Amino acid sequence: MPTETVYGLAGNGLDTEAVEKIYEVKGRPQIKPLALMIPDSGSMERYCEPVPEQAKQQAAIAAERKSQVGSGDRSDRVRTYNFP
């Protein structure tokens, strides 16, 4: 997946085989976590228990910035990327 500076690897974070493949391709030890991208701050409760208060605060800041930026920001490009 293209990003602003480098190519990134992406896969379904809920698919064990996809996650294992990313670790394998990156040569990353499984003790080091991968980032999980979610569509909105409301999804944090689904994937992280408990959600740290600092994470909620950061999500609120990010949502405010996104509302100021509008469409065309990086999150829109990721959301519309057609994964092979």
Side-chain angles (χ1 to χ4, degrees):
M1 146 186 282
T3 66
E4 287 189 355
T5 56
V6 297
Y7 279 86
L9 296 174
N12 181 346
L14 304 178
D15 180 333
T16 304
E17 288 182 40
V19 172
E20 288 174 356
K21 186 69 173 177
I22 290 174
Y23 275 109
E24 178 187 329
V25 169
K26 290 184 71 137
R28 185 182 186 107
Q30 291 195 4
I31 194 167
K32 296 177 87 175
L34 299 172
L36 178 65
M37 295 184 178
I38 56 174
D40 54 55
S41 61
S43 299
M44 287 191 298
E45 300 286 341
R46 182 174 175 191
Y47 301 109
C48 181
E49 292 180 6
V51 176
E53 190 58 38
Q54 184 178 14
K56 293 177 185 178
Q57 292 168 357
Q58 291 295 318
I61 291 167
E64 177 60 28
R65 287 183 181 159
K66 183 175 180 182
S67 70
Q68 294 170 0
V69 172
S71 64
D73 64 15
R74 282 182 262 166
S75 62
D76 287 340
R77 290 198 304 260
V78 170
R79 221 182 353 262
T80 60
Y81 184 78
N82 294 319
F83 291 95

